């Protein structure tokens, strides 16, 4: 329940920040959204103590164990998120350099 | 039945990208490598298509892990034909840039990135795994982000930012949907999900996941009203890059939509079907209106992509064997015609020194072969018989008539007329009109043989899909049959389990 | 020289084909069929039917075509784009032949569209001129719109009858006429035919199309292409005809077209425009006759088709020659041409006689038949008789205007004689002679050409013999009256023209061409407005719309649920609650952060919270990764800290509240589904497989890592590719640029 | 902390960090760790070193650019996936060699999977360092 509300909160905060005109805020929002989605995948596998590591000498995990698959997915998602956010940072940096500001609407063009 | 043929379309351009990256700075070599890559892709895709055509759906369990556990690549007829068409596009673009020294490659990374983009497109078409699809999507996105930002003009960066942030929303929604779906079904393989969803109905989680996937794919496919990123960005890149974008990117979204909403969540009878229908109609109309208001060659084309996507999703929304096969037919036709038009956009811009139709002109008298070749995809897009676009529209139209959907029919006709209008606008401005006095005079240099070969190669397919509709359409019908029979796909992937 | 040679050879080929068609028409007993499948799903087959009616049209197309190609040899040289024009003309001829030979309606439609598009290129042949481009667009849009109506009709026809072969459709006549779709099909087919054949109110594109070179006008816009609509209606008469709707629709539109075309013609001073409006009128006449649908009317229509094709093509060619001769087509400025070139006058006079309907020309027979058809038609109103009469009289006037006025001298000085080349003179003269010959030997023409084609169309003989002299009867009196009236109007035609112009000016707001122009203008305006509003370039707006779209769909999903309850009873450890609360607080604060430092730090806190969460719930790998990623990102941010744009005072409060509202709605709906998802894993099968097999099959005890590098290694490859690509992007974005800013 | 002190401590810490990163990589298959974590840890070591000694210092010691390093990682990963194709197995199938015993790390089974993980390691390390240096260089430009 609490975790669900927390994820929800992250979504709200993320979306809200995304809607700000400041690009840096939008980027932070994007990161928060990433956290939210990752957490969701993580908890969707169920929560359990222990680690998905097979003990030395055993052949398989001993129940109860946390679902390893969502962990792998989240790991992948985190890394992809890293790539995208680093790129976003550079892009914002470049935008600031070119447009001289942080406002999204500085980029408004004739469309 | 495992066949490594399934992974090859995705991996060939990947390997070529790596080679190009190692040789970065040697532009000439990269151009020839792109050509070689295009040829190999075509061969591989053709072999795959032939295999699937004769022996039915093929699967490849990557890493040798059996179906629901590892990642499975699945080539049913839809995936195989899309891969085939993609390889056409790839080869045409490689031809276009191969010996075309006039077409400057703005950045040493452009060609390798293009190969990676193709790789991810093949991957997305062929994967049978939801999360893997997400990964391919991300590869595709980041590649296109980077390609966009090479433009380096203020507009290009602005377009890139819009593209990034709007697609980011899509990715977040996609991930959320994966989370929900995994929470409910505990699996990621399309076939396995479909099999498990089959037992459950009206589960809140499933409806939520379906809706989220719907949103995410709508953004990727640039449906109204979440299409904004597309016209903002497509025209800032070199012509052959926007040709790849225009031909393939949104279509991957459409493909994902078709796959998900036939296999996992069959649309029929759900409220999403109505929603998709409304959205499709709106997409058709607004796209074409956008095109009518533009005076920039490639922007017109960008808006037309949106409008045409509407036709495809309309086919999905109408949900009948005919409508689905029409949608698939449209998809195949559109990839080829649109890529070709974007290539012409580049040619025209180079010959006239501007992308702006007001500054172009006189190409009909100075470059007759270009003009004639341009007419093929342009008239095809406008729905002139006997080119591919005519049959695509005809089939969707018939599907709409059979569904007694009067509004669809009327909208389709209006949109068809408006499409004709804007294609003729391009023709009239860039080709017929004498070059404006103040503009750069059209250069008398003819485009090189490579460029001609590239566009002619695609034009050939446009003609073939039209004239050979009697051959192509039965394949689309078979595809529709496969799509409507979920059990067939599930069985092919999971076997008797 | 080479160009001339190709003209002559094309002309010769057409002539041979024309003679062959006549011969075939005389000797054809039963229709000849040829068919292949193309796309059976929509009823499309490549099927041709050669019957006498088709052959009649083939004769027309090839005959006129032959002369037009011949004419081209004199008219086109000097034109830069002559070869293009000639090739497109050839394409057009082929498509027209395809059109009249198709048995399959959809195949017919394909050729139909071919003729439209070739016509487009021919109208726009002088593409340097803006008017030419606009006229071409206008002609194209009107005919394409009609074509679409036709296409829908064809698809409906297929749905109703299950076939698209004309030959089998005739057999299904009753089925189609009883179908509820019948009125729709009929109206749509008529719409297609009307736009193509320039019927009122779609007639305006035809005069506009006169920007095309004269051979084109002679060929496409008088003799052949515009007759395609008539051909279609004639072909569909046995299938859809002889109903009240057919009757009313065609007679009404035909009559309106007749009178509008003829009246407007007189107000033109451009000789080609004048001829174009009389063409409109003649097409109206043909539609009218098809609407009547009696045996006599059909026969009259056939005769008139031939008559009109001969004289109108000839007159258009004369108009072209006049242009060559005098450098203008303006009737007000043309005079004394008879002295300049008597041969040309002769070339103009013969067809004009036919147009007036004077004996012994074929035109006389045509007009007699038409009057006869009208007089003995069972249900015809007197009004229509009057309209027909007026239109005919006005046509006589128009003929005089075109063929007499430019040739008679108005001043005393006589201009020098000028010789026109043979190709400019011979074709109209030949056509005139043909008209004359047909008039002199009507029986031969009737028996060998018209009667077989009538039979092919209707399936029964007409029993009507063509005769030049019927004796003095009401029909003859009407004919004479028509001539006299026409001549009288010619006498006062300047007044008449002024009158028409005044009426035209008054009615101009409702004139169809005005409406068309308005429609196109408004469409473009609306499109621009719409696009400016929607595609306004503001990312903020785009994002808002996108989020609202998602909210809307999620809301719809939520309300579509049969059961909305959520189990709220699940709780969580105190320890984690604290972490989560801390992170949540940070998240909430971050949205209010006023400085970048604050925002970034708070972001770090959220990340830390997530990391700790991973630690407590058995995900050491995740925790480590999350931590390191967080660290790297912070380092990156820190490194370009001073280069990042400073936080500016944020947007107004109202806007903030609006955004918060939008975010909340989406967030709340998402949370609802998240709530459903938490702790709900019913099928664990695939993870169990990993737990069982990681050590034994994949030789690794860290299951997460085994999944990453073995079970789902492809995902990992994708993600490292993302990293590599991101790196390329960043490197090129941040590459030191010395010069540019 | 004075620059001198910082440099001396970094001189000691960085190699340890690097060793730790390698350790993470190699034992990743059995214990928490793996290519990512190892790569990121290694990247942070180099970054730290670069920060304290200057980027030029580090870059001049290296024969190849960091991008090439990352590229090498990616190529290695793809190559490892390809090996199975040559022996006619599905793409990415793990081909296993003998099991070794490495000091500190424990049992280590050689195979294409390990090769893949090393590829990931190189790529992530190249990514991290390359990016960090690019960003730093941008900052230093002012």
């Amino acid at each position: 329940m609490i975790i669900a509300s927390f994820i929800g909160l992250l979504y709200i905060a993320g979306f809200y920040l995304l809607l700000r005109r400041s690009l840096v805020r939008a980027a932070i929002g994007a990161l928060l959204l990433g956290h939210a989605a990752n957490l969701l995948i993580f908890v969707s596998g169920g929560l359990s103590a222990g680690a998905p590591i097979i003990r030395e000498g055993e052949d398989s995990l001993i129940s109860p164990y946390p679902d390893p698959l969502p962990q792998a997915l989240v790991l992948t998602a985190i890394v992809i998120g890293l790539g995208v956010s680093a790129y976003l940072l550079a892009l914002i940096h470049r935008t600031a350099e070119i447009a001289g500001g942080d406002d999204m609407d500085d980029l408004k063009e004739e469309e | 039945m495992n066949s490594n043929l399934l992974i090859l379309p995705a991996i060939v351009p990947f390997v070529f990208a790596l080679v190009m990256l190692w040789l970065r700075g040697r532009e000439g070599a990269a151009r020839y490598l792109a050509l070689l890559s295009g040829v190999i892709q075509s061969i591989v895709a053709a072999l795959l298509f032939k295999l699937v055509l004769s022996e039915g759906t093929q699967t490849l369990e990557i890493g040798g892990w059996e179906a629901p556990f590892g990642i499975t690549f699945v080539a049913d007829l839809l995936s195989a034909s899309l891969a085939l068409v993609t390889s056409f596009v790839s080869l045409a673009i490689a031809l276009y840039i191969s010996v075309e020294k006039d077409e400057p490659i703005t950045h040493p990374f452009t060609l390798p990135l293009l190969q990676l983009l193709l790789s991810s497109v093949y991957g997305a078409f062929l994967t049978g795994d939801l999360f893997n699809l997400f990964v391919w999507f991300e590869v595709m996105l980041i590649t296109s982000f980077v390609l966009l930002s090479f433009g380096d003009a203020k507009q290009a960066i602005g377009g890139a930012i819009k593209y990034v942030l709007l697609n980011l929303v899509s990715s977040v929604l996609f991930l959320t949907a994966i989370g929900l779906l995994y929470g409910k079904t505990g699996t990621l393989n399309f076939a396995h999900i479909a099999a498990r969803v089959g037992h459950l109905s009206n589960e809140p989680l499933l409806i939520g996941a379906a809706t989220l996937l719907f949103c995410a794919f709508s953004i990727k496919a640039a449906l109204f009203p979440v299409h904004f990123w597309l016209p903002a960005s497509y025209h800032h890149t070199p012509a052959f890059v926007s040709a790849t974008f225009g031909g393939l990117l949104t279509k991957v979204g459409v493909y994902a939509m078709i796959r998900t909403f036939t296999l996992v969540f069959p649309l029929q009878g759900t409220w999403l079907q109505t929603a998709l229908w409304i959205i499709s109609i709106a997409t058709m109309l607004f796209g074409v209106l956008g095109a009518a208001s533009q005076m920039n060659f490639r922007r017109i084309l960008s808006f037309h992509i949106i409008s045409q996507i509407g036709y495809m999703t309309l086919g999905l929304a109408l949900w009948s064997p005919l409508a689905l096969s029409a949608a698939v037919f449209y998809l195949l036709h559109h990839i080829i015609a649109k890529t070709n038009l974007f290539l012409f956009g580049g040619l025209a811009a180079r010959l006239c020194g501007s992308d702006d139709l007001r500054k172009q002109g006189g190409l009909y008298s100075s470059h007759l072969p270009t003009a004639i070749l341009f007419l093929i995809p342009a008239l095809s897009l406008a729905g002139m018989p006997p080119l591919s676009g005519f049959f695509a529209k005809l089939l969707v139209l018939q599907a709409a008539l059979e569904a007694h959907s009067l509004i669809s029919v009327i909208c389709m006709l209006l949109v068809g007329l408006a499409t004709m209008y804007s294609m003729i606008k391009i023709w009239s401005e860039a080709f017929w009109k004498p070059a404006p006095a103040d503009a750069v005079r059209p250069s008398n240099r003819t485009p090189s043989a490579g460029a001609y070969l590239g566009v002619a190669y695609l034009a050939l397919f446009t003609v073939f899909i039209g004239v050979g509709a009697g051959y192509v359409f039965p394949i689309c019908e078979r595809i529709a049959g496969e799509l409507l029979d979920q059990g067939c796909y599930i069985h092919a992937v999971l076997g008797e389990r | 020289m080479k160009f001339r040679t190709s003209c002559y050879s094309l002309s010769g080929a057409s002539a041979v084909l024309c003679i062959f068609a006549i011969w075939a028409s005389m000797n054809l007993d039963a229709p000849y069929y040829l068919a292949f499948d193309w796309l059976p799903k929509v009823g499309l087959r490549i099927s041709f039917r050669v019957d006498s009616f088709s052959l009649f049209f083939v004769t027309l197309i090839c005959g006129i075509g032959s002369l037009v190609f011949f004419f081209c040899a004199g008219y086109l040289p000097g034109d830069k784009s002559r070869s293009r024009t000639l090739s497109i003309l050839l394409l057009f001829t082929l498509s027209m032949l395809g059109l009249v030979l198709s048995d399959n309606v959809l195949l017919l439609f394909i050729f139909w569209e071919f003729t439209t598009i070739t016509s487009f290129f021919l109208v726009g042949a002088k593409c340097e001129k803006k008017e030419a481009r606009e006229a071409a667009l206008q002609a194209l849009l009107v005919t394409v719109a009609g074509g679409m109506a036709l296409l829908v009709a064809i698809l409906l026809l297929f749905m109703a009858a299950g076939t698209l072969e004309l030959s089998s459709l005739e057999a299904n006549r009753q089925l189609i006429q009883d179908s509820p779709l019948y009125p729709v099909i009929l109206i749509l087919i008529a719409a297609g035919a009307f736009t193509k054949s320039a019927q009122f109110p779609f007639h305006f594109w035809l005069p506009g199309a006169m920007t095309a070179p004269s051979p084109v006008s002679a060929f496409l816009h008088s003799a052949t292409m515009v007759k395609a609509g008539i051909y279609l209606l004639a072909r569909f008469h046995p299938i859809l005809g002889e109903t009240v709707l057919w009757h009313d629709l065609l007679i009404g539109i035909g009559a309106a077209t007749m009178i509008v075309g003829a009246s407007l013609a007189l107000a033109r001073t451009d000789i080609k425009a004048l001829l174009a409006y009389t063409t409109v009128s003649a097409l109206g006449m043909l539609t009218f006759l098809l609407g009547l649908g009696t045996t006599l009317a059909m026969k009259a229509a056939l005769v008139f088709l031939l008559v009109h094709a001969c004289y109108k093509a000839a007159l258009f060619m004369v108009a072209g020659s006049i242009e060559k001769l005098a450098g203008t087509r303006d009737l007000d400025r043309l005079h004394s041409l008879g002295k300049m070139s008597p041969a040309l006058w002769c070339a103009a006079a013969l067809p004009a006689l036919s147009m007036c309907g004077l004996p012994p020309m074929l035109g006389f027979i045509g007009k007699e038949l038409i009057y006869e058809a009208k007089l003995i038609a069972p249900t015809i109103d007197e009004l229509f008789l009057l309209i027909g009469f007026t239109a005919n009289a006005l046509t006589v006037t128009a003929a005089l205007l075109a063929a007499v006025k430019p040739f008679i001298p108005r001043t005393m000085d006589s201009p020098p004689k000028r010789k026109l080349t043979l190709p400019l003179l011979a074709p109209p003269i030949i056509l005139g002679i043909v008209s004359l010959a047909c008039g002199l030997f009507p029986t031969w023409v009737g028996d060998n050409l018209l009667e077989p084609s009538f039979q092919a169309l209707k399936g029964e003989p007409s029993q009507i013999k063509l005769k030049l002299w019927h004796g003095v009867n009401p029909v003859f009196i009407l004919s004479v009256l028509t001539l006299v009236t026409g001549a009288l109007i010619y006498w006062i035609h300047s007044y008449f023209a002024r009158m028409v112009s005044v009426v035209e000016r008054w009615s101009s707001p409702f004139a169809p061409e005005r409406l068309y122009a308005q429609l196109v203008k408004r469409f473009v305006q609306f499109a621009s407005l719409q696009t400016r509003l929607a595609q306004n370039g503001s990312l903020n707006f785009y994002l808002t719309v996108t989020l609202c779209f998602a909210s809307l769909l999620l809301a719809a999903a939520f309300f579509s649920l049969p059961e909305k309850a959520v189990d709220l009873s699940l709780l969580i450890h105190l320890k984690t609650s604290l972490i989560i609360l801390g992170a949540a607080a940070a998240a909430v604060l971050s949205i209010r952060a006023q400085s970048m430092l604050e925002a970034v730090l708070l972001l770090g806190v959220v990340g830390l919270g997530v990391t700790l969460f991973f630690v407590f719930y058995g995900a050491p790998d995740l925790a480590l990764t999350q931590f390191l990623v967080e660290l790297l990102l912070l380092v990156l941010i820190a490194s370009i800290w001073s280069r990042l744009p400073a936080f500016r005072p944020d947007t107004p409060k109202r806007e903030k509240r609006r955004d918060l509202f939008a975010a909340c709605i989406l967030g709340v709906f998402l949370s609802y589904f998240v709530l459903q998802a938490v702790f709900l894993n019913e099928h664990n099968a695939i993870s169990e497989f990993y737990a069982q097999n990681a050590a034994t099959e994949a030789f690794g005890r860290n299951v997460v890592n085994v999944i990453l590098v073995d079970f789902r290694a492809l995902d990992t490859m994708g993600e490292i590719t993302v990293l590599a690509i991101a790196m390329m992007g960043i490197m090129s974005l941040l590459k030191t640029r010395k010069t540019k800013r | 902390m004075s620059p001198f002190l910082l440099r001396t401590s970094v001189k000691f810490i960085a190699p340890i960090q690097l060793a730790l990163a390698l350790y993470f990589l190699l034992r990743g298959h059995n214990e928490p760790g793996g290519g990512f974590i190892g790569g990121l840890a290694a990247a942070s070591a180099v970054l730290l070193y670069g920060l304290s000694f200057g980027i030029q210092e580090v870059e001049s010691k290296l024969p190849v650019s960091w991008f090439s390093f990352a590229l090498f990682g990616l190529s290695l990963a793809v190559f490892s996936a390809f090996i199975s194709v040559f022996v006619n197995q599905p793409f990415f199938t793990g081909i296993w060699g003998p099991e070794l015993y490495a000091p500190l790390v424990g049992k280590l089974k050689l195979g294409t999977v390990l090769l893949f993980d090393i590829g990931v390691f190189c790529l992530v390390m190249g990514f991290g360092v390359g990016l960090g240096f690019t960003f730093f260089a941008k900052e230093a430009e002012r």
Side-chain angles (χ1 to χ4, degrees), chain B residues 143-162:
Chain B
T143 320
S144 34
F145 297 162
V146 174
L147 281 171
L148 271 178
S149 64
F150 282 165
D152 200 48
K154 186 176 163 187
Q155 283 90 349
I157 301 283
I161 290 241
K162 282 166 194 155

Side-chain angles (χ1 to χ4, degrees), chain C residues 93-110:
Chain C
T93 316
L94 295 177
S95 1
M96 200 63 209
L97 287 176
L99 195 157
V100 297
L101 290 172
S102 304
D103 190 27
N104 186 291
V105 192
L106 203 50
L107 184 68
L108 185 150
F109 174 79
I110 289 176

Side-chain angles (χ1 to χ4, degrees), chain B residues 226-293:
Chain B
V226 284
H227 60 268
F228 302 111
W229 56 272
L230 194 153
S233 53
Y234 269 19
H235 56 293
H236 295 305
T237 52
F240 59 95
V241 176
S242 46
T244 323
F245 284 12
L248 296 172
L249 288 192
T250 46
K251 260 58 86 189
V252 179
V254 176
Y255 162 78
M257 210 158 212
I258 292 180
R259 178 64 80 214
T260 316
F261 291 103
T262 53
L263 177 64
V264 183
F265 305 108
L267 263 187
Q268 193 183 22
T270 60
W271 66 273
L272 272 176
Q273 188 184 8
T274 323
L276 184 62
W277 182 75
I278 296 170
I279 291 170
S280 306
I281 298 279
T283 307
M284 283 161 59
L285 290 175
F286 280 80
V288 93
L289 282 175
S293 67

Side-chain angles (χ1 to χ4, degrees), chain C residues 50 53 177 179 412 442 477 481 513 518 598 675 713 730 734:
Chain C
V50 186
F53 187 60
Q177 295 209 354
S179 146
M412 293 313 286
I477 296 170
L481 268 180
E513 54 265 52
Q518 285 286 323
E598 203 182 333
L675 259 182
I730 294 164
L734 298 188

Side-chain angles (χ1 to χ4, degrees), chain D residues 24-86:
Chain D
F24 269 136
L25 163 71
L26 293 179
R27 66 155 209 175
H29 219 48
N30 294 321
E31 301 291 332
F36 281 116
I37 296 166
L40 284 173
S44 62
V46 180
L47 280 181
L48 196 62
Y49 194 83
L51 266 184
S52 31
F53 287 94
I55 299 167
Q56 264 76 39
E57 166 80 13
V58 183
E59 296 221 307
S60 63
K61 278 184 187 167
L62 224 73
V64 290
S65 70
W66 286 107
F67 179 70
S68 301
F69 193 75
L71 192 59
F72 168 74
L74 190 59
S75 312
L76 190 65
V78 175
F79 175 71
S80 77
F82 245 107
I83 294 177
S84 58
V85 176
F86 297 129

Side-chain angles (χ1 to χ4, degrees), chain C residues 695-731:
Chain C
T696 48
E697 302 273 322
F699 313 109
R701 288 184 293 109
N702 179 355
V703 182
V704 175
N705 186 264
V706 173
I707 293 177
L708 280 175
V709 297
D710 201 344
F711 291 122
R712 298 184 64 90
L714 195 62
D715 284 347
T716 309
M717 202 174 94
E719 78 186 81
I720 59 176
T721 313
V722 169
L723 287 190
I725 297 168
M727 190 173 174
M728 293 183 221
I730 294 164
M731 276 166 41

Side-chain angles (χ1 to χ4, degrees), chain C residues 49-125:
Chain C
R49 170 168 67 166
V50 186
D51 65 5
S52 297
F53 187 60
S54 301
L55 283 174
F56 173 59
F57 267 85
V58 172
T59 312
L60 268 185
I61 295 161
C62 292
I64 307 274
S66 164
L67 296 173
V68 165
F69 284 128
F70 192 61
F71 186 69
C72 281
Y75 186 86
L76 282 181
D79 191 341
K80 254 200 327 227
S81 55
R82 55 178 187 269
S83 319
R84 292 178 198 181
T85 309
L86 194 68
S87 347
I88 304 174
L89 265 179
L90 176 64
L91 268 181
F92 166 78
T93 316
L94 295 177
S95 1
M96 200 63 209
L97 287 176
L99 195 157
V100 297
L101 290 172
S102 304
D103 190 27
N104 186 291
V105 192
L106 203 50
L107 184 68
L108 185 150
F109 174 79
I110 289 176
F111 287 116
W112 177 283
E113 294 287 84
F114 266 173
T115 61
T116 303
I117 202 82
T118 42
S119 159
F120 167 75
F121 286 111
L122 290 170
V123 174

Side-chain angles (χ1 to χ4, degrees), chain B residues 234-367:
Chain B
Y234 269 19
H235 56 293
H236 295 305
T237 52
F240 59 95
V241 176
S242 46
T244 323
F245 284 12
L248 296 172
L249 288 192
T250 46
K251 260 58 86 189
V252 179
V254 176
Y255 162 78
M257 210 158 212
I258 292 180
R259 178 64 80 214
T260 316
F261 291 103
T262 53
L263 177 64
V264 183
F265 305 108
L267 263 187
Q268 193 183 22
T270 60
W271 66 273
L272 272 176
Q273 188 184 8
T274 323
L276 184 62
W277 182 75
I278 296 170
I279 291 170
S280 306
I281 298 279
T283 307
M284 283 161 59
L285 290 175
F286 280 80
V288 93
L289 282 175
S293 67
Q294 299 299 321
M295 276 309 268
N296 176 305
F297 200 129
R298 276 192 278 165
R299 286 193 68 120
I300 294 182
L301 297 180
S302 302
F303 274 104
H304 268 300
I305 298 179
I306 299 170
S307 146
Q308 312 267 312
I309 297 283
Y311 277 95
M312 297 169 215
T313 48
L314 182 66
L316 179 60
L318 289 172
W319 194 270
S320 64
L322 177 65
L324 267 177
S325 30
V328 173
F329 192 97
Y330 213 114
L331 191 59
L332 301 177
H333 135 73
H334 187 250
I335 292 177
I336 290 175
K338 191 50 94 174
T339 311
N340 208 358
L341 281 175
F342 268 105
L343 290 180
F344 276 110
L347 270 185
R350 204 171 65 229
L351 294 174
C352 298
S354 168
D355 226 6
D356 191 332
L357 285 178
R358 280 165 292 214
K359 295 181 187 151
Q360 298 185 340
L363 292 177
Y364 183 51
S365 50
S366 61
H367 293 84

